[in-house]
Amino acid sequence: MCLYRWSSLVLFFLGSYFFLFFLFLFKDDCSLFMDWEFLSINSCSMSMVILLDWMSTIFISFVFFISSMVIYYSGSYMGSDLYKKRFLFMVLMFVFSMFMMVISPNMISILIGWDGLGLVSYCLVIYFQNYKSYNAGMLTVLTNRIGDVAILLSISWMLNFGGWNFFMYSDFSSWSYYLFVLVVLAGFTKSAQIPFSSWLPAAMAAPTPVSALVHSSTLVTAGVYLLIRFSSMFVYFDCWFFALLGLITMFMAGLGASFEYDLKKIIALSTLSQLGLMMGILFLGFPVLSFFHLLTHAFFKALLFLCAGLIIHCMGDSQDIRHMGGVSVHLPFTSSCFCISSLSLCGLPFLSGFYSKDFIVESYSMSGGNLFFYLIFYVSIGLTVSYSMRLVYYCISDGTGYYVCQSYVEDFTMIFPMIFLTFMSIFSGSVLSWLIFPYPTLVVIPFMTSILSLFFIILGAWLGYELSFYYCGFGLFSLRFYSISVFMGSMWFMPKFSTYMLYSPAFNFSSNLFSVMDMGWGEKVVSNYSLIFFSKMSQFNTYCQSNSFKLLMASFFFVLFFLLI
């Protein structure tokens, strides 16, 4: 416990230091660039580079703040675990990998942090060591390997540029298109966009504090951050298809969360929905807005996971929301924090989520997108409120799903990080909007367009209530339309596409290749066929000996019939 608190204190001071450093850099509009060249081969220099500008320093400070709170919380949550020291060291390695990735403008040093995130996340997902964790860990690490391969290919491709410092080569050239595609592929796998979305809910097999860290500011946000860094290159290409994938991911995750019953998976799908929003607005040409939402989202999502972890802890490790109900009576402070983080996620005015989401909606309304994008955008905003309303109804309100004989204890070690994150969930949006956008942006849109988001928020709240309320004599919507709810709740069957439908044809193909190529025709014909021939002959001989009287009578009647003819 003491080790957890010291680690938390050190990370909090580091976060404070980097935040003050961000204020210094932002005030003078300057950056700190450190380059150590350790090898030069044929006009291509290999160097270790650190870039500290306003974007990297504030993101690192937020990562350190959230990780310090999560580690402090873990001191109580993992208190009875046998290997809690190992867990702490793995979380610290995870944070260090993210630190390496954020401060690096060099593809080689980015790969160190990128691969570190993938490897440590696999170790944390399989932490509980059961079959479900192993399967989830394999799905997570194999999907992320696609992005790692894309980073490796981009490193080799950047030899054409003469170096690996990507910000020096972000202008248009004949080589840029392939680099653009590889970086987008890497970002999509790490941030779980369609068609790589299935690993993100599966990674919920990890302990809840890890989920809070992963889904707020580390693993899944690494892809978005990398693409924000490369955003100056995107202006030379038509990105409508990638924007469409981001918005469809947002829509699909919102639908899936509205029909899911696992508490952690609902929050994971809400993270996927917000990542789709960040990707969509990034490819539509607003990278700073995407980064702004990335920062505000980090605090209320970490708070949401920490509240969920305490509720699961008190429910005897049951994650099914149908077991819950009346939590507000027994855990009043946790329920208050849970509601504040949910309202911030929905975009309630003057909470942190409102500043980024409202700015994104208004900026997109001014940019003049097509009607299909516009419709998906607003419907997804409504679905965010829908699953948040459903979650609050099932877990917090005075429902009928009491899971009896549980110990409801609000431990101070768990409560203290929630206090800090609640404070940040309320105030971080306004403070960041004043810092990042020092002068107000003029938004000119019609009155009906300005209240359209409010209309969809109210509509989403009503839909969430209807999906969860049980009428007397009528079943739930998810039971009355079971096939629809299964399709929506299973992320459009994407986990099956990523697992069964992928490895079954591969196994059959490898079996055929093994029999044709590895065994060879000589072994197949000479060895196997002679074995099969003598095996069939011996089976026939055994049959004749076992049924001699039947065969004798049958042959007698056959010969007699033949003679009579």
Side-chain angles (χ1 to χ4, degrees):
M1 189 68 183
C2 186
L3 196 60
Y4 276 85
R5 289 185 176 176
W6 275 110
S7 304
S8 171
L9 193 63
V10 169
L11 286 173
F12 189 82
F13 276 118
L14 280 172
S16 305
Y17 170 74
F18 273 100
F19 188 74
L20 293 173
F21 195 37
F22 152 73
L23 293 175
F24 169 73
L25 293 175
F26 198 75
K27 179 178 69 72
D28 293 337
D29 193 18
C30 61
S31 303
L32 184 64
F33 182 79
M34 291 172 277
D35 187 356
W36 173 46
E37 183 178 327
F38 56 88
L39 189 62
S40 181
I41 301 175
N42 196 14
S43 77
C44 183
S45 63
M46 297 187 184
S47 55
M48 189 73 186
V49 186
I50 292 175
L51 174 65
L52 295 173
D53 61 349
W54 73 270
M55 192 174 278
S56 62
T57 47
I58 192 169
F59 192 44
I60 276 298
S61 72
F62 279 27
V63 169
F64 282 150
F65 280 142
I66 291 170
S67 57
S68 69
M69 293 298 113
V70 166
I71 287 172
Y72 192 86
Y73 175 94
S74 304
S76 175
Y77 191 89
M78 306 296 290
S80 59
D81 193 80
L82 194 61
Y83 303 108
K84 51 178 180 266
K85 283 189 179 178
R86 181 191 301 174
F87 175 80
L88 174 63
F89 290 138
M90 281 197 290
V91 171
L92 290 174
M93 284 167 57
F94 200 64
V95 175
F96 176 73
S97 300
M98 191 67 192
F99 174 74
M100 281 297 297
M101 200 220 111
V102 170
I103 64 170
S104 304
N106 184 291
M107 295 303 287
I108 295 287
S109 46
I110 278 178
L111 185 68
I112 297 170
W114 193 270
D115 256 349
L117 286 172
L119 179 63
V120 180
S121 68
Y122 173 70
C123 297
L124 288 167
V125 168
I126 64 167
Y127 183 80
F128 287 129
Q129 298 187 12
N130 51 44
Y131 282 113
K132 183 182 176 184
S133 299
Y134 292 148
N135 292 335
M138 286 307 294
L139 179 59
T140 301
V141 76
L142 290 178
T143 309
N144 279 295
R145 287 313 288 171
I146 300 171
D148 298 345
V149 169
I151 291 285
L152 286 167
L153 288 174
S154 67
I155 287 171
S156 61
W157 188 253
M158 285 186 78
L159 285 170
N160 296 310
F161 293 81
W164 286 298
N165 297 337
F166 64 78
F167 67 94
M168 295 180 182
Y169 312 108
S170 56
D171 57 342
F172 183 74
S173 70
S174 57
W175 305 102
S176 299
Y177 178 72
Y178 300 100
L179 179 63
F180 162 70
V181 171
L182 288 169
V183 170
V184 168
L185 177 62
F188 268 42
T189 52
K190 194 65 87 175
S191 292
Q193 302 298 295
I194 285 177
F196 308 108
S197 303
S198 57
W199 72 264
L200 193 121
M204 288 296 98
T208 307
V210 174
S211 303
L213 196 55
V214 163
H215 286 259
S216 61
S217 58
T218 52
L219 182 67
V220 295
T221 57
V224 179
Y225 180 79
L226 183 73
L227 291 179
I228 289 169
R229 282 299 201 182
F230 272 90
S231 59
S232 56
M233 188 195 295
F234 297 167
V235 295
Y236 301 105
F237 303 101
D238 188 4
C239 302
W240 72 268
F241 180 69
F242 300 118
L244 177 64
L245 285 180
L247 291 176
I248 290 179
T249 304
M250 183 184 177
F251 177 67
M252 179 270 297
L255 275 179
S258 298
F259 290 94
E260 181 60 62
Y261 286 101
D262 188 314
L263 175 59
K264 284 177 69 176
K265 282 190 178 178
I266 292 172
I267 304 175
L269 287 167
S270 79
T271 304
L272 185 56
S273 174
Q274 300 307 305
L275 289 170
L277 173 64
M278 293 173 210
M279 284 291 188
I281 204 70
L282 169 63
F283 284 111
L284 288 169
F286 300 97
V288 179
L289 277 184
S290 180
F291 184 66
F292 180 32
H293 189 57
L294 182 66
L295 295 176
T296 57
H297 168 261
F299 285 112
F300 60 74
K301 188 49 60 73
L303 176 60
L304 202 57
F305 265 110
L306 294 190
C307 295
L310 184 51
I311 292 171
I312 291 167
H313 208 54
C314 293
M315 288 285 170
D317 296 331
S318 170
Q319 296 178 194
D320 197 323
I321 59 173
R322 289 167 292 191
H323 290 165
M324 301 171 189
V327 173
S328 57
V329 179
H330 305 285
L331 303 172
F333 187 82
T334 307
S335 303
S336 304
C337 296
F338 191 87
C339 289
I340 289 170
S341 56
S342 297
L343 291 172
S344 185
L345 172 65
C346 296
L348 186 78
F350 312 116
L351 294 179
S352 66
F354 164 77
Y355 288 91
S356 55
K357 291 184 84 169
D358 190 62
F359 202 179
I360 285 171
V361 168
E362 290 174 348
S363 299
Y364 179 60
S365 298
M366 284 186 67
S367 67
N370 65 47
L371 183 62
F372 182 68
F373 279 26
Y374 205 64
L375 192 62
I376 290 181
F377 205 76
Y378 276 100
V379 169
S380 302
I381 290 170
L383 286 171
T384 304
V385 187
S386 171
Y387 60 71
S388 300
M389 177 73 184
R390 180 171 173 264
L391 205 55
V392 170
Y393 180 86
Y394 268 104
C395 300
I396 306 300
S397 68
D398 194 12
T400 57
Y402 285 104
Y403 200 47
V404 295
C405 303
Q406 301 303 317
S407 59
Y408 294 99
V409 179
E410 289 187 318
D411 187 4
F412 177 76
T413 311
M414 291 186 178
I415 290 293
F416 177 73
M418 290 185 202
I419 297 171
F420 176 78
L421 290 174
T422 304
F423 179 80
M424 296 302 288
S425 297
I426 295 170
F427 295 109
S428 65
S430 56
V431 172
L432 283 171
S433 66
W434 296 329
L435 285 173
I436 297 176
F437 307 104
Y439 53 89
T441 306
L442 180 65
V443 177
V444 183
I445 51 177
F447 175 73
M448 292 303 294
T449 309
S450 63
I451 66 164
L452 195 59
S453 56
L454 182 63
F455 170 75
F456 272 95
I457 284 172
I458 296 169
L459 190 66
W462 172 79
L463 178 64
Y465 180 75
E466 286 294 325
L467 286 175
S468 53
F469 191 75
Y470 186 85
Y471 292 100
C472 183
F474 293 93
L476 285 168
F477 178 86
S478 54
L479 295 176
R480 282 183 284 155
F481 301 96
Y482 188 69
S483 56
I484 296 175
S485 63
V486 167
F487 175 70
M488 300 297 185
S490 63
M491 297 172 64
W492 302 350
F493 303 134
M494 206 170 296
K496 291 181 175 59
F497 280 109
S498 303
T499 52
Y500 315 132
M501 295 183 70
L502 201 62
Y503 64 65
S504 296
F507 279 159
N508 292 331
F509 183 63
S510 62
S511 175
N512 293 333
L513 285 180
F514 173 72
S515 61
V516 172
M517 298 174 66
D518 194 29
M519 291 179 67
W521 286 104
E523 187 177 354
K524 188 80 173 174
V525 173
V526 177
S527 303
N528 284 8
Y529 285 176
S530 58
L531 175 66
I532 292 169
F533 174 74
F534 286 116
S535 175
K536 294 294 182 186
M537 288 295 294
S538 63
Q539 288 175 13
F540 180 70
N541 188 26
T542 305
Y543 179 77
C544 291
Q545 290 176 359
S546 301
N547 301 280
S548 55
F549 183 72
K550 292 179 185 177
L551 291 173
L552 184 63
M553 290 300 295
S555 59
F556 171 73
F557 283 119
F558 178 73
V559 172
L560 183 63
F561 177 74
F562 185 73
L563 289 174
L564 289 174
I565 291 174

